[in-house]
Amino acid sequence: MQIHVVKSKIHRVKVTGADLNYIGSITIDEDLMDAANIVEGEKVQIVNNNNGERLETYAIPGPRNSGEITLNGAAARKVAKGDVLILITYAIMDIEEAKKFKPAILFPNEENNLLN
């Protein structure tokens, strides 16, 4: 049997932009992606602490050390600049592997989204 487990979590980052006229996705500072073991194109669950919205999209890298968190395409309608988000990715693994697995959990600086 295999189960879904949290692979990575970026806790409490602020939305820096919302681009309705982009083809989709969430742009995440590449430093945050690396630290959280998120790869380009990976499915990301987005939880908006300000309005309760939950949605899924895929990650694309933003400029390093920029703190960028931009929702693109239709997802841009679910956030406002300054909203606080939790970003979560999951992995599928067998139960025994899951018992030993340790997710990457980040707590960036809440003012600038950087890993100070």
Side-chain angles (χ1 to χ4, degrees):
M1 178 186 322
Q2 294 189 317
I3 60 173
H4 292 252
V5 296
V6 173
K7 180 181 81 70
S8 52
K9 177 179 175 183
I10 303 175
H11 191 76
R12 296 187 60 86
V13 287
K14 285 186 182 176
V15 174
T16 60
D19 186 355
L20 184 61
N21 296 312
Y22 192 82
I23 58 172
S25 68
I26 181 170
T27 305
I28 303 170
D29 178 325
E30 195 166 4
D31 287 339
L32 291 174
M33 287 180 63
D34 287 348
N37 296 321
I38 297 173
V39 299
E40 185 172 358
E42 185 171 358
K43 181 165 74 171
V44 178
Q45 181 182 40
I46 300 161
V47 180
N48 187 328
N49 285 358
N50 291 80
N51 63 19
E53 290 282 355
R54 289 167 123 10
L55 61 123
E56 292 178 344
T57 189
Y58 59 94
I60 61 172
R64 289 189 179 279
N65 201 41
S66 65
E68 182 175 357
I69 301 291
T70 300
L71 277 290
N72 303 304
R77 294 199 183 274
K78 303 289 187 177
V79 300
K81 189 174 178 180
D83 281 359
V84 175
L85 307 180
I86 299 171
L87 310 179
I88 309 164
T89 65
Y90 299 89
I92 300 171
M93 57 187 75
D94 65 63
I95 291 174
E96 291 309 311
E97 183 182 7
K99 288 178 181 178
K100 299 172 189 163
F101 181 77
K102 300 294 181 215
I105 300 177
L106 306 181
F107 297 91
N109 181 309
E110 289 189 36
E111 295 305 310
N112 59 19
N113 296 337
L114 299 178
L115 295 170
N116 298 359

